[in-house]
Amino acid sequence: MHINMNGPAKKIDTPRNRAPYRVYWNWELTHDCNYRCSYCETWRDDVPTPLYPGPDRWKQIWDRMYGLYGSCVVRFSGGEPSIYPGFIDIIAAVARNHSIDITTNLSFDEREFARKVEPGSIAVSASFHPEFNDIHDFLERVLFLHNSGFISTICYVAYPPQLDRLEYFKKTVEDKNIMFKFLPFTGKYGGREYPRDYTSEERELIYGAAVKAKDPKARELNTKWYEWNAGKRDSENGVKKGRVCLMGYMYAVIHPDGEVTRCCAGAAGRDSGVLGNIIHDGDFRLLGEPRECRAANCPCFKAMLAESDSWHSMWEALPHKKYKNKTDGNH
Ligand code: SF4
Ligand code: SF4
């Protein structure tokens, strides 16, 4: 599905004129990864090579987005974003104008990162994978980043064979005052389909860990993730077809080939609509207004539905140290 960008003419708001007053990007730099976690749905042996237009072109693109939409929040994700060529230099360039959030397994040199990147506008969500890392070594690296000014948290997957260590990892991380988040597992294990087939005991354990999170923000996020994924036993939560959503206007996903979709619904996000290609289209723009959703099923517990503001708190992000927006209290 390709959205006609010449549809009803509406002016572009620069920056966005309604809460939370900023544009969020989820930039999937590559779907490849140097790990092969048993529970991962992203990597495959045949993932296509991502487009790599080079650091200068990326800088040009992100400077243009700043010109159009002001200071945005750019989430680097994947696959593993740090295996993308020039990862640290690209972060350093994008962070000049935009706040950054990185979801990573920390496969980069944190000392080089701290030397090259200016702290203050960057958050790191470090995904801890016990099949590949020791919690103590991993936590030490996270603490180094955190204490260097890059707000860092740890995220864990509530994969059934890993549930017995959930409480231990949570306590180890929280004892160092690092936020511990976890995601219910989505996929097949032992002939069962998750999250639907979590047992009552597993649900109790996950929910208990969610509501007992030390940090109030982690408590909110873990509980909402639980309620959205593990808490539901049917697919009805996900249906939002026809409702007006700000995604595409205030949020978009950039895929490894540069294609941009409103959100991640369906294969390569195409169910919600394709907005264009941020690398190839010199006049690429987001939607000029919130629009009705055409996807049959909404996969997002943070969907930006126009009818409600209950999602606002889920999108709180680090303000840019230099460029403030309305919610940062500087207007
Ligand atoms: S580190 Fe992340 S992207 Fe890589 S295999 Fe594990 S879950 Fe997948
Ligand atoms: S309602 Fe859901 S599927 Fe539709 S655009 Fe919003 S986030 Fe995407």
Side-chain angles (χ1 to χ4, degrees):
M1 182 196 308
H2 193 290
I3 291 177
N4 177 8
M5 299 303 293
N6 300 318
K10 300 276 175 184
K11 75 174 177 56
I12 301 278
D13 299 308
T14 313
R16 291 318 198 207
N17 65 359
R18 54 182 290 172
Y21 304 103
R22 53 172 62 179
V23 169
Y24 297 76
W25 303 89
N26 182 7
W27 184 8
E28 297 179 357
L29 285 92
T30 173
H31 286 162
D32 202 356
C33 185
N34 53 331
Y35 288 2
R36 292 288 184 262
C37 301
S38 315
Y39 42 75
C40 183
E41 290 192 303
T42 307
W43 69 267
R44 301 187 315 263
D45 282 331
D46 60 345
V47 285
T49 309
L51 255 185
Y52 180 64
D56 292 347
R57 176 74 182 118
W58 279 126
K59 182 175 179 316
Q60 212 176 40
I61 289 167
W62 286 109
D63 284 351
R64 181 170 173 268
M65 292 305 117
Y66 174 71
L68 282 171
Y69 306 116
S71 185
C72 305
V73 178
V74 184
R75 177 170 169 243
F76 285 66
S77 68
E80 172 50 39
S82 68
I83 64 171
Y84 189 81
F87 169 74
I88 293 179
D89 294 325
I90 293 172
I91 300 261
V94 178
R96 287 196 192 110
N97 296 338
H98 304 287
S99 294
I100 307 277
D101 194 318
I102 312 166
T103 297
T104 172
N105 64 22
L106 291 193
S107 290
F108 59 88
D109 179 344
E110 66 275 14
R111 298 199 179 252
E112 182 192 350
F113 187 92
R115 265 196 318 275
K116 289 187 168 174
V117 182
E118 199 180 331
S121 313
I122 297 177
V124 177
S125 176
S127 310
F128 169 60
H129 304 291
E131 291 172 344
F132 292 90
N133 291 115
D134 169 80
I135 186 62
H136 301 287
D137 295 345
F138 194 77
L139 184 53
E140 205 171 297
R141 298 181 62 210
V142 170
L143 281 165
F144 170 80
L145 284 166
H146 194 73
N147 294 336
S148 304
F150 306 101
I151 307 297
S152 302
T153 57
I154 289 186
C155 190
Y156 182 68
V157 180
Y159 186 46
Q162 295 186 168
L163 278 177
D164 56 343
R165 285 171 293 165
L166 171 65
E167 201 45 55
Y168 170 72
F169 292 142
K170 175 177 174 295
K171 181 170 178 349
T172 305
V173 171
E174 290 184 338
D175 280 353
K176 295 286 182 188
N177 288 330
I178 292 289
M179 188 196 284
F180 184 81
K181 302 173 286 181
F182 57 85
L183 290 166
F185 167 61
T186 305
K188 285 196 173 59
Y189 175 75
R192 295 164 146 247
E193 183 72 44
Y194 289 84
R196 188 194 65 197
D197 291 341
Y198 274 125
T199 63
S200 306
E201 292 76 27
E202 287 169 337
R203 283 169 196 277
E204 210 173 300
L205 191 149
I206 297 171
Y207 187 66
V211 295
K212 284 189 215 131
K214 187 172 178 184
D215 184 288
K217 193 55 170 176
R219 208 173 302 143
E220 182 190 4
L221 282 171
N222 290 344
T223 309
K224 289 243 166 93
W225 271 329
Y226 171 82
E227 283 165 355
W228 176 259
N229 278 305
K232 72 181 179 192
R233 288 168 197 255
D234 55 50
S235 62
E236 279 181 22
N237 281 359
V239 179
K240 293 189 176 67
K241 192 172 183 182
R243 288 153 83 179
V244 176
C245 183
L246 275 65
M247 283 170 146
Y249 164 79
M250 202 173 253
Y251 170 91
V253 180
I254 305 171
H255 297 267
D257 60 358
E259 191 166 273
V260 183
T261 57
R262 280 184 79 175
C263 71
C264 58
R270 284 164 170 256
D271 283 9
S272 59
V274 177
L275 307 177
N277 189 298
I278 203 165
I279 300 173
H280 300 314
D281 304 343
D283 62 349
F284 172 83
R285 277 174 157 76
L286 293 167
L287 296 175
E289 61 178 351
R291 291 214 185 144
E292 274 187 11
C293 173
R294 299 187 224 164
N297 274 295
C298 174
C300 186
F301 76 107
K302 292 160 74 175
M304 296 173 162
L305 297 175
E307 70 205 27
S308 143
D309 59 9
S310 62
W311 48 269
H312 288 186
S313 65
M314 309 293 287
W315 288 92
E316 277 169 18
L318 206 57
H320 193 274
K321 61 190 287 190
K322 184 164 162 205
Y323 304 109
K324 307 292 180 194
N325 71 8
K326 265 191 183 174
T327 44
D328 305 326
N330 200 33
H331 275 236

